[in-house]
Amino acid sequence: QAKRGAPQSFALYEPGMLDRRRDDDLLGRDLDNAVAGGQLEVRYQPMVDLATGRPIGAEALVRWRHPVRGMVSPLDFIPVAERTGVIAEIGLYVLEQACHQALSWRRASGGDFYVSVNVSPRQLQDPDLVADVLATLDRAGLAPQRLVLEVTESAIVDDQVAIPTLQALRAHGVRVAIDDFGTGYSSLQYLTRLPIDILKIDRSFVADLIGTGHGGAVTEAIIRLAQVLDLGTVAEGIETPAQAAELRRLGCRTGQGYHYAKPLTTADALAYFMTSQADTAVPVRS
Ligand code: C2E
Ligand code: MG
Ligand code: MG
Ligand code: MG
């Protein structure tokens, strides 16, 4: 009869974990061909001015249309791409697409929209990142002021490579947002010295804004902190009118979430931005 050991002695051999690892290896192999094979798609989730509901920009979110598995979530393949290093290629692909789309929204509607692009920790270690971003903006013809890069707190805190990289990009006018703010480990004193412009309030706090949990208090604290540090705030994952109203009351200016729009295809995003401006703006012709 098998002896019963401490639960943790079995943890290393859990079949689920081994499957997961083997699966990640398979995904990693397929991922090498994803960019060249045209299997990546970028969706754009509008970000709106909470006071008016009008769009001011969009976040680029990558999708992988795997030939056998169908759509694979970035939550599943970005960590794999980080490990194999192919994230460098994926990141530049998304950036290039995003910059071109941002320009097309502007050309088609006359609105002054920006695009926000996620940058993973490994990309921030790439010594070519600054030159690559500037070259991409240049090729697309997009002003650096129209680009926001989203990074995580843990990727930049105390990092001797990431911080000067972000400083250099900001010197050119690119803005930097901390994604999922409030979920990383925060040293508030350190935050005052980070090269950042925007705090993105994590979806978990917004989800808990109205209920009995601490979401409301944490959200309010983040908004006040941002005001003191002269940073912008963007609330993620707004799903209801009540959450939007509460965020407005607390002084948050910008938000995104299913209540306003889901991540949209390139064509739908263009239509969305054009419609949003149709009644007020004169299109830029160039
Ligand atoms: P994130 O940057 O925090 O992006 C927000 C996620 O929340 C997106 O998931 C978005 O579709 C989802 N979302 C937006 N509004 C709502 C809402 O109202 N309710 C709920 N429940 N969810 C909402 P998605 O697209 O699956 O992306 C997941 C994560 O994958 C992103 O989190 C980001 O960390 C990463 N990611 C996505 N695209 C890229 C990329 O191009 N590069 C890198 N490095 N990471 C990416
Ligand atoms: Mg993001
Ligand atoms: Mg986020
Ligand atoms: Mg998030």
Side-chain angles (χ1 to χ4, degrees):
Q1 199 189 328
K3 238 172 90 184
R4 274 204 192 144
Q8 54 271 44
S9 67
F10 290 97
L12 278 174
Y13 308 104
E14 242 180 73
M17 276 180 68
L18 277 182
D19 286 353
R20 175 79 200 208
R21 202 146 80 234
R22 223 175 278 131
D23 200 51
D24 280 0
D25 289 345
L26 292 174
L27 265 192
R29 206 193 48 200
D30 291 353
L31 205 47
D32 282 342
N33 308 312
V35 179
Q39 294 166 7
L40 295 184
E41 295 175 18
V42 186
R43 298 285 153 87
Y44 300 91
Q45 184 175 40
M47 302 166 87
V48 307
D49 176 343
L50 291 176
T52 62
R54 285 177 164 275
I56 55 175
E59 177 174 3
L61 295 160
V62 71
R63 303 284 180 265
W64 180 17
R65 197 182 287 279
H66 187 283
V68 177
R69 296 172 194 237
M71 279 296 191
V72 183
S73 160
L75 294 173
D76 292 323
F77 73 86
I78 293 289
V80 179
E82 272 269 311
R83 273 198 295 280
T84 66
V86 76
I87 188 67
E89 201 186 341
I90 292 175
L92 286 180
Y93 173 78
V94 174
L95 181 71
E96 182 105 41
Q97 297 293 311
C99 290
H100 278 106
Q101 291 312 309
L103 197 75
S104 82
W105 305 331
R106 193 184 165 87
R107 289 240 165 101
S109 71
D112 202 10
F113 304 116
Y114 66 88
V115 72
S116 202
V117 177
N118 293 283
V119 176
S120 75
R122 185 151 170 173
Q123 288 178 272
L124 290 171
Q125 298 301 316
D126 183 346
D128 297 331
L129 185 70
V130 176
D132 286 343
V133 169
L134 295 177
T136 304
L137 285 166
D138 202 48
R139 268 198 305 280
L142 190 73
Q145 288 75 17
R146 304 268 73 83
L147 176 66
V148 174
L149 298 178
E150 300 191 7
V151 302
T152 56
E153 208 176 335
S154 56
I156 60 172
V157 164
D158 259 332
D159 193 294
Q160 304 311 312
V161 178
I163 289 175
T165 295
L166 294 177
Q167 265 157 355
L169 286 163
R170 286 181 79 232
H172 283 93
V174 174
R175 282 171 294 164
V176 176
I178 296 196
D179 208 348
D180 308 328
F181 187 76
T183 62
Y185 81 90
S186 330
S187 149
L188 292 183
Q189 190 208 349
Y190 199 75
L191 193 65
T192 64
R193 288 183 279 130
L194 286 177
I196 55 173
D197 303 279
I198 297 159
L199 301 180
K200 292 194 75 173
I201 303 167
D202 189 65
R203 190 170 87 210
S204 59
F205 305 123
V206 175
D208 195 28
L209 203 52
I210 311 296
T212 49
H214 292 112
V218 174
T219 301
E220 181 164 14
I222 294 174
I223 293 166
R224 299 291 163 259
L225 179 68
Q227 284 166 347
V228 169
L229 299 179
D230 205 19
L231 302 171
T233 44
V234 177
E236 329 182 287
I238 304 171
E239 294 184 350
T240 68
Q243 289 166 349
E246 182 61 3
L247 286 160
R248 275 194 297 272
R249 192 184 72 78
L250 293 174
C252 183
R253 294 260 186 79
T254 310
Q256 63 188 106
Y258 298 162
H259 170 57
Y260 294 102
K262 295 210 163 171
L264 305 173
T265 62
T266 302
D268 287 347
L270 182 62
Y272 178 92
F273 283 113
M274 286 178 72
T275 310
S276 75
Q277 294 298 105
D279 49 343
T280 52
V282 180
V284 175
R285 300 198 193 283
S286 51

